[in-house]
Structure formats: structure tokens, C-alpha cells
Amino acid sequence: PNPLSSFNTFIVNYIFYIIILFAFAIYFYNLNFNFKSFFYFRILTYIFNFIVLLYIYFSALYYCNFNFKCIINFIYNMQANIDDNKIKLNGLLNLSSSFVYIILICAYFFLVIKSKKEKIVSYVLFFLNFLTLILMARRAALLGIFSGVLLSLLFYRFFNKTIYILFIPIFSIMCILIFHPYAKNTLLIRGDTPDRILKFKEGDFNTMSSVGFRLYEWERSLKRLKESPFIGTGLGRKIMKEQFFKESPIGHPHNTLISLALQSGIQTLFTFLCFYFILFIKNFNLRKICIKKVYFFSLICFIFMISILWIFMFAGVEEKAGFIPFWIMSGATLGMITYSNSKLKSPHIY
């Protein structure tokens, strides 16, 4: 219905993603993994990550005047009402896909870097990012990380003490979230009781829970797809909202896979899923390569791919920055596959 807007979205989102994909594929392939050429990438990652965390927590402390509950609510909503004025941080800061990416990148650095000082830096950032993701109550991302870690215990056999140093805090914090009443009700359940979830069948937005909203929009979206499976609304959430979500309070189905199908047809969704699963299998096969840096990359990427699938199912990240972590990891995986193919003669993990 709006070809120009669809074309603009294609340039901003998809062409940009493709450039990122190939840039990281070439970058990882050319590293040779002596990590000297990787040094500047790591330092920039640490610096920018530290700045973002500092901004979030300093803002929370500043606006909440060290009030604990206010700080928790501020980080959860990325906003606060101060003297009848709404203070809101940039929405890019609460992208769950970005936090999952940086958590696992810091974990990878911790596993493969030899410098003890840098291990401490990467571990501290890993823990702070994980804590921030919990305070933001991004349940799909947390469930993705948790299930990814559990599945990795089944399929990845080589572990050392550094792995347990990473995994034990994840399991410990998740157990607190599950069994501590306040944490469970505030950060996990958040009003999504069975009776409120089932309210989606009534179509009353005032009584629906967060999950109920999603179920309601998924049902509507699937009916729309049955009517027109191959011709979408056009690329871009704005066009999709104008065509289909005008009366919806959430504006999109909060499901990346459904959004892709709605915007450009089920053939696009099928193509994307083929790309995802081919990449998933290729990365999974990297665990057979007896090179420490490759093996741990496969482990971290495996957890990421499981996590991002959960995020795809419960959040709309097809627009702009939300999708970038997936394409970065995809490019890195392709580069790592090419690198590992040239190192298959290595007899042992080093």
C-alpha cells in the first residue's frame, strides 16, 4: 500500500543488517584469533557498555534519591514520575536483545582471554548486565538464557571451572526469582495470573495482562495471515500499524516472527527461519572443533540463538537496533566457521 515507506524501511533495516552481517563475517575471519587485532574491539565494547550501565544506574540514583523501590521501578520502566514530571530514558537502553548479546559477549571474553585483569573486567560487566536485565524484568530474555544454559549442559561436554563461575550465578539468581515471593511477583509474574491471561478471549484491554495482550494480538494476526498469507501490509511497523493495529493499545503483535509474516508474507518468514536454523546447525557443529576459542564461541552462540528465539516469540525486535545483535552474531558465526575450517588439523583444545 505504501511502496516508498517500504523501500525506506528496507534500506534502513535490511540493507544495514546485511552490511553488519558481512562486516563481522570478514572481521572474524581475518582475526586469526591471536586476539591482538581483537583488542580494540574488546576495549570499545567494555567502554560503551560501562557508559550505558553508568547512565542507567546514575539516572536511577539521581532521580530516585537513593530510594530502593523507586530505583527498582525506574530501571524496570526506564522512567519515573518526579514532581508530576515524567522522566524517561532512551528506549534503546531497554532492548533485551542488546543485553543478552553483551552478557554473552562478556562471558566469551571471560572464557578465552588470558589476562587476569581483563577477566575481572569482563566478569564484572557480565554480572552487572545480567543484574540489569533482571531488574528490567525482561522475562523472555531471562527464560532464553536460562533454557540455553540448561540445554548447553546436555550438548556441550567440555567444561572447566570458568564455565561454572559463569553458570552458578545465573542458576542462583534464577532460583531467587522463582522462589522469593517479592521477586517472583514483581519481576516474573507481574500480574500474569492464569485468570488475567485468559481475559484475552473477552477482548477487554482493561483487564488483560501482558501475556494476555500478546495472545489476543497473535490470534488476530494469524486470522489476518489466513486471509492474505503471501501479500503483507508492507515493510515497517508504521505501515503495519496503519493497516492492521490502529485500535490496538500495543500497536504490533509483540512477536517478531508474526510481524515478519504480516509485513511481507509467510514466504519471507520461511526464508528467515531457514537462515536461522541453518546458522544454528552450523554453529552447533562447531562444538566438535577441538580449538578452545572456537568451542567456547559455539557454546556462547548456542545460548544466544536459544535466547533470541524466545525474544522473537515474545517481543517485536524486527525494527532498527533490536535486530542488530542477531545479525552481529550471525556474521561472527560465519566468520568463525571459515576460520575453524582452516584449523581442523589442531589435535587438541588449546
Side-chain angles (χ1 to χ4, degrees), residues 270-317:
F270 177 76
T271 304
F272 175 75
L273 288 175
C274 286
F275 176 79
Y276 171 89
F277 284 110
I278 289 170
L279 203 67
F280 183 90
I281 292 168
K282 284 185 175 293
N283 174 73
F284 189 64
N285 289 334
L286 285 177
R287 79 193 195 284
K288 301 173 184 177
I289 307 297
C290 296
I291 302 174
K292 180 180 177 181
K293 300 175 180 96
V294 176
Y295 181 87
F296 283 137
F297 177 86
S298 177
L299 170 65
I300 292 301
C301 190
F302 174 83
I303 298 172
F304 176 83
M305 296 296 274
I306 298 293
S307 302
I308 203 70
L309 187 60
W310 279 101
I311 293 171
F312 285 163
M313 290 190 293
F314 289 93
V317 296

Coordinates of all heavy atoms in Angstrom, one line a residue, residues 270-317:
F270 N 9.4 -17.9 6.2 CA 10.0 -19.2 5.9 C 11.5 -19.1 5.5 O 12.4 -19.8 6.0 CB 9.3 -19.9 4.7 CG 9.9 -21.2 4.3 CD1 9.7 -22.4 5.1 CD2 10.6 -21.3 3.1 CE1 10.3 -23.6 4.7 CE2 11.2 -22.5 2.7 CZ 11.0 -23.6 3.5
T271 N 11.8 -18.1 4.7 CA 13.2 -17.8 4.3 C 14.1 -17.5 5.5 O 15.2 -18.0 5.7 CB 13.3 -16.7 3.3 OG1 12.5 -17.0 2.1 CG2 14.7 -16.4 2.8
F272 N 13.5 -16.6 6.4 CA 14.3 -16.2 7.6 C 14.5 -17.4 8.5 O 15.6 -17.6 9.0 CB 13.5 -15.1 8.3 CG 14.2 -14.7 9.6 CD1 15.3 -14.0 9.7 CD2 13.6 -15.2 10.8 CE1 16.0 -13.7 10.9 CE2 14.2 -14.9 12.0 CZ 15.4 -14.1 12.0
L273 N 13.5 -18.2 8.7 CA 13.6 -19.4 9.6 C 14.6 -20.4 9.0 O 15.4 -21.0 9.8 CB 12.3 -20.1 9.8 CG 11.3 -19.3 10.7 CD1 9.9 -20.0 10.7 CD2 11.8 -19.1 12.1
C274 N 14.7 -20.5 7.7 CA 15.7 -21.4 7.1 C 17.1 -20.9 7.4 O 18.0 -21.7 7.7 CB 15.5 -21.5 5.6 SG 14.1 -22.5 5.1
F275 N 17.3 -19.6 7.2 CA 18.6 -18.9 7.5 C 18.9 -19.2 9.0 O 20.1 -19.5 9.3 CB 18.5 -17.4 7.2 CG 19.8 -16.7 7.6 CD1 20.9 -16.8 6.8 CD2 19.8 -16.0 8.8 CE1 22.1 -16.1 7.2 CE2 21.0 -15.3 9.2 CZ 22.1 -15.4 8.3
Y276 N 17.9 -19.0 9.9 CA 18.2 -19.1 11.3 C 18.6 -20.6 11.7 O 19.6 -20.8 12.3 CB 16.9 -18.8 12.1 CG 17.0 -19.1 13.6 CD1 17.5 -18.2 14.5 CD2 16.6 -20.4 14.1 CE1 17.6 -18.5 15.9 CE2 16.7 -20.7 15.4 CZ 17.2 -19.8 16.3 OH 17.3 -20.1 17.6
F277 N 17.9 -21.6 11.2 CA 18.2 -22.9 11.5 C 19.4 -23.5 10.9 O 20.2 -24.3 11.5 CB 17.0 -23.8 11.2 CG 15.9 -23.7 12.2 CD1 14.7 -23.1 11.9 CD2 16.0 -24.1 13.5 CE1 13.6 -22.9 12.8 CE2 15.0 -24.0 14.5 CZ 13.8 -23.4 14.1
I278 N 19.7 -23.0 9.6 CA 21.0 -23.4 9.0 C 22.2 -22.9 9.8 O 23.1 -23.6 10.1 CB 21.0 -22.9 7.6 CG1 20.1 -23.7 6.7 CG2 22.5 -23.0 7.0 CD1 19.9 -23.1 5.3
L279 N 22.0 -21.6 10.2 CA 23.1 -21.0 11.0 C 23.2 -21.7 12.4 O 24.3 -21.9 12.9 CB 22.8 -19.5 11.2 CG 23.9 -18.6 11.6 CD1 24.9 -18.5 10.4 CD2 23.4 -17.2 11.9
F280 N 22.1 -22.0 13.0 CA 22.1 -22.7 14.3 C 22.8 -24.1 14.2 O 23.6 -24.4 15.0 CB 20.6 -22.9 14.7 CG 20.5 -23.6 16.1 CD1 20.4 -22.8 17.2 CD2 20.4 -25.0 16.2 CE1 20.3 -23.4 18.5 CE2 20.3 -25.6 17.4 CZ 20.2 -24.8 18.6
I281 N 22.5 -24.8 13.1 CA 23.1 -26.1 13.0 C 24.6 -26.0 12.7 O 25.4 -26.8 13.3 CB 22.4 -26.9 11.8 CG1 21.0 -27.3 12.2 CG2 23.2 -28.2 11.5 CD1 20.1 -27.8 11.1
K282 N 25.0 -25.0 11.9 CA 26.4 -24.8 11.6 C 27.2 -24.4 12.8 O 28.3 -24.9 13.1 CB 26.6 -23.8 10.5 CG 26.3 -24.3 9.1 CD 26.5 -23.2 8.1 CE 26.3 -23.7 6.6 NZ 27.3 -24.8 6.3
N283 N 26.6 -23.6 13.6 CA 27.3 -23.2 14.9 C 27.3 -24.4 15.9 O 28.3 -24.6 16.5 CB 26.5 -22.0 15.6 CG 27.1 -21.7 17.0 OD1 28.1 -21.2 17.1 ND2 26.3 -22.1 18.0
F284 N 26.2 -25.2 15.9 CA 26.2 -26.3 16.8 C 27.3 -27.3 16.4 O 27.9 -28.0 17.3 CB 24.8 -27.0 16.7 CG 24.6 -28.1 17.7 CD1 24.5 -27.8 19.0 CD2 24.4 -29.4 17.3 CE1 24.3 -28.8 20.0 CE2 24.1 -30.4 18.2 CZ 24.1 -30.1 19.5
N285 N 27.6 -27.5 15.1 CA 28.6 -28.4 14.7 C 30.0 -27.9 15.1 O 31.0 -28.7 15.1 CB 28.5 -28.6 13.2 CG 27.3 -29.4 12.8 OD1 26.8 -30.2 13.6 ND2 26.8 -29.3 11.6
L286 N 30.2 -26.6 15.4 CA 31.5 -26.1 15.8 C 31.9 -26.7 17.1 O 33.1 -26.6 17.4 CB 31.4 -24.6 15.9 CG 31.4 -23.7 14.6 CD1 31.3 -22.3 14.9 CD2 32.6 -24.0 13.8
R287 N 31.0 -27.2 17.9 CA 31.4 -27.8 19.2 C 32.3 -29.0 19.0 O 33.0 -29.4 20.0 CB 30.2 -28.2 20.0 CG 29.5 -29.5 19.6 CD 28.1 -29.6 20.2 NE 27.7 -31.0 20.1 CZ 27.2 -31.6 19.0 NH1 27.1 -30.9 17.9 NH2 26.8 -32.8 19.0
K288 N 32.3 -29.6 17.8 CA 33.2 -30.7 17.5 C 34.6 -30.3 17.2 O 35.5 -31.1 17.1 CB 32.6 -31.5 16.3 CG 31.2 -32.0 16.5 CD 30.7 -32.6 15.2 CE 29.2 -33.0 15.4 NZ 28.7 -33.6 14.1
I289 N 34.9 -29.0 17.0 CA 36.2 -28.5 16.7 C 37.0 -28.4 18.0 O 36.6 -27.7 18.9 CB 36.1 -27.1 16.0 CG1 35.2 -27.2 14.8 CG2 37.5 -26.7 15.6 CD1 35.6 -28.2 13.7
C290 N 38.1 -29.0 18.0 CA 39.0 -29.0 19.2 C 39.9 -27.8 19.3 O 41.1 -27.9 19.4 CB 39.8 -30.3 19.3 SG 38.8 -31.8 19.4
I291 N 39.3 -26.6 19.3 CA 40.0 -25.4 19.5 C 39.2 -24.6 20.5 O 38.0 -24.4 20.4 CB 40.1 -24.6 18.2 CG1 40.8 -25.4 17.1 CG2 40.9 -23.3 18.4 CD1 40.8 -24.7 15.7
K292 N 39.9 -24.2 21.6 CA 39.2 -23.6 22.7 C 38.4 -22.4 22.3 O 37.2 -22.3 22.7 CB 40.3 -23.2 23.8 CG 39.7 -22.6 25.0 CD 40.8 -22.2 26.0 CE 40.2 -21.5 27.2 NZ 41.3 -21.2 28.2
K293 N 39.0 -21.5 21.6 CA 38.3 -20.3 21.2 C 37.1 -20.5 20.3 O 36.0 -19.9 20.4 CB 39.2 -19.3 20.5 CG 40.4 -18.9 21.4 CD 41.4 -18.1 20.6 CE 42.6 -17.8 21.5 NZ 43.7 -18.6 21.3
V294 N 37.2 -21.5 19.5 CA 36.0 -21.9 18.6 C 34.9 -22.6 19.4 O 33.8 -22.4 19.3 CB 36.5 -22.8 17.4 CG1 35.3 -23.3 16.6 CG2 37.5 -22.1 16.6
Y295 N 35.4 -23.5 20.3 CA 34.4 -24.3 21.1 C 33.6 -23.4 22.0 O 32.4 -23.5 22.1 CB 35.2 -25.3 21.9 CG 34.4 -26.2 22.8 CD1 33.8 -27.4 22.3 CD2 34.1 -25.8 24.1 CE1 33.0 -28.2 23.1 CE2 33.2 -26.6 24.9 CZ 32.7 -27.8 24.4 OH 31.9 -28.6 25.2
F296 N 34.3 -22.5 22.7 CA 33.5 -21.6 23.6 C 32.7 -20.6 22.8 O 31.6 -20.2 23.3 CB 34.5 -20.9 24.5 CG 35.0 -21.7 25.6 CD1 36.3 -21.7 26.0 CD2 34.2 -22.6 26.3 CE1 36.8 -22.5 27.0 CE2 34.6 -23.4 27.3 CZ 36.0 -23.3 27.7
F297 N 33.1 -20.2 21.6 CA 32.3 -19.4 20.8 C 31.0 -20.1 20.4 O 29.9 -19.6 20.5 CB 33.0 -18.9 19.5 CG 32.1 -18.1 18.6 CD1 32.0 -16.8 18.7 CD2 31.3 -18.7 17.6 CE1 31.1 -16.0 17.9 CE2 30.5 -18.0 16.8 CZ 30.4 -16.6 16.9
S298 N 31.1 -21.4 20.1 CA 30.0 -22.2 19.7 C 29.0 -22.3 20.9 O 27.8 -22.2 20.8 CB 30.4 -23.6 19.3 OG 29.3 -24.4 19.1
L299 N 29.6 -22.5 22.1 CA 28.8 -22.6 23.4 C 28.0 -21.3 23.6 O 26.8 -21.3 23.8 CB 29.7 -22.9 24.5 CG 29.0 -22.7 25.9 CD1 28.0 -23.8 26.1 CD2 30.1 -22.8 27.0
I300 N 28.7 -20.1 23.5 CA 28.0 -18.8 23.8 C 27.0 -18.5 22.7 O 25.9 -18.1 23.0 CB 29.1 -17.7 23.8 CG1 30.0 -17.9 25.1 CG2 28.5 -16.4 23.8 CD1 29.3 -17.9 26.4
C301 N 27.3 -18.8 21.5 CA 26.4 -18.6 20.3 C 25.2 -19.5 20.4 O 24.1 -19.1 20.1 CB 27.1 -18.7 19.0 SG 26.2 -18.2 17.6
F302 N 25.4 -20.7 20.9 CA 24.3 -21.6 21.1 C 23.3 -21.0 22.1 O 22.1 -21.0 21.8 CB 24.8 -23.0 21.6 CG 23.7 -24.0 22.0 CD1 23.1 -24.8 21.0 CD2 23.3 -24.1 23.3 CE1 22.1 -25.7 21.4 CE2 22.4 -25.0 23.7 CZ 21.8 -25.8 22.7
I303 N 23.8 -20.5 23.2 CA 22.9 -19.9 24.2 C 22.2 -18.7 23.7 O 21.0 -18.5 23.9 CB 23.7 -19.6 25.5 CG1 24.3 -20.8 26.1 CG2 22.8 -18.8 26.5 CD1 25.3 -20.5 27.3
F304 N 23.0 -17.9 22.9 CA 22.4 -16.7 22.3 C 21.3 -17.1 21.3 O 20.2 -16.4 21.3 CB 23.5 -15.9 21.5 CG 22.9 -14.7 20.8 CD1 22.7 -13.5 21.4 CD2 22.6 -14.8 19.4 CE1 22.2 -12.4 20.8 CE2 22.1 -13.7 18.7 CZ 21.9 -12.5 19.4
M305 N 21.5 -18.1 20.5 CA 20.5 -18.4 19.5 C 19.2 -18.9 20.1 O 18.1 -18.7 19.7 CB 21.0 -19.5 18.5 CG 22.2 -19.0 17.6 SD 21.7 -17.6 16.5 CE 21.1 -18.5 15.1
I306 N 19.3 -19.7 21.2 CA 18.2 -20.1 22.0 C 17.5 -18.9 22.6 O 16.2 -18.8 22.5 CB 18.5 -21.1 23.1 CG1 19.2 -22.4 22.5 CG2 17.3 -21.4 24.0 CD1 18.2 -23.2 21.8
S307 N 18.2 -18.0 23.2 CA 17.7 -16.8 23.8 C 17.0 -15.9 22.8 O 15.8 -15.4 23.1 CB 18.8 -16.0 24.5 OG 19.5 -16.8 25.5
I308 N 17.6 -15.7 21.7 CA 17.0 -14.8 20.7 C 15.7 -15.3 20.1 O 14.8 -14.6 19.8 CB 18.0 -14.4 19.6 CG1 17.6 -13.1 18.9 CG2 18.1 -15.5 18.6 CD1 17.8 -11.9 19.7
L309 N 15.6 -16.7 20.1 CA 14.4 -17.3 19.6 C 13.2 -17.0 20.6 O 12.1 -16.7 20.2 CB 14.6 -18.8 19.4 CG 13.4 -19.5 18.8 CD1 13.1 -19.0 17.4 CD2 13.7 -21.0 18.7
W310 N 13.5 -17.1 21.9 CA 12.5 -16.7 22.9 C 12.1 -15.3 22.8 O 10.9 -14.9 22.9 CB 13.0 -17.0 24.3 CG 12.9 -18.4 24.7 CD1 13.9 -19.3 24.8 CD2 11.7 -19.1 25.2 NE1 13.4 -20.5 25.2 CE2 12.1 -20.4 25.5 CE3 10.4 -18.7 25.4 CZ2 11.2 -21.3 26.0 CZ3 9.5 -19.6 25.9 CH2 9.9 -20.9 26.2
I311 N 13.1 -14.4 22.5 CA 12.8 -13.0 22.3 C 11.9 -12.7 21.1 O 11.0 -12.0 21.1 CB 14.1 -12.2 22.3 CG1 14.8 -12.2 23.6 CG2 13.8 -10.7 21.9 CD1 16.2 -11.6 23.6
F312 N 12.3 -13.4 20.0 CA 11.5 -13.3 18.8 C 10.0 -13.7 19.0 O 9.1 -13.1 18.4 CB 12.0 -14.3 17.7 CG 13.3 -13.8 17.0 CD1 14.1 -14.7 16.3 CD2 13.7 -12.5 17.1 CE1 15.3 -14.3 15.7 CE2 14.9 -12.1 16.5 CZ 15.7 -13.0 15.8
M313 N 9.8 -14.7 19.9 CA 8.4 -15.2 20.1 C 7.6 -14.2 21.0 O 6.4 -14.3 20.9 CB 8.5 -16.6 20.7 CG 8.9 -17.6 19.7 SD 8.7 -19.3 20.3 CE 9.8 -19.4 21.6
F314 N 8.3 -13.4 21.8 CA 7.5 -12.6 22.8 C 7.8 -11.1 22.7 O 7.2 -10.3 23.5 CB 7.8 -13.1 24.2 CG 7.2 -14.4 24.6 CD1 7.9 -15.6 24.4 CD2 5.9 -14.5 25.0 CE1 7.3 -16.8 24.7 CE2 5.3 -15.7 25.3 CZ 6.0 -16.9 25.1
A315 N 8.6 -10.7 21.7 CA 8.9 -9.3 21.6 C 9.1 -9.0 20.1 O 9.4 -9.8 19.3 CB 10.1 -8.9 22.3
G316 N 8.8 -7.7 19.7 CA 9.0 -7.3 18.4 C 10.3 -6.6 18.2 O 10.4 -5.4 18.6
V317 N 11.3 -7.2 17.7 CA 12.6 -6.6 17.5 C 13.1 -6.5 16.1 O 14.2 -6.4 15.8 CB 13.7 -7.4 18.3 CG1 13.4 -7.4 19.8 CG2 13.8 -8.9 17.8

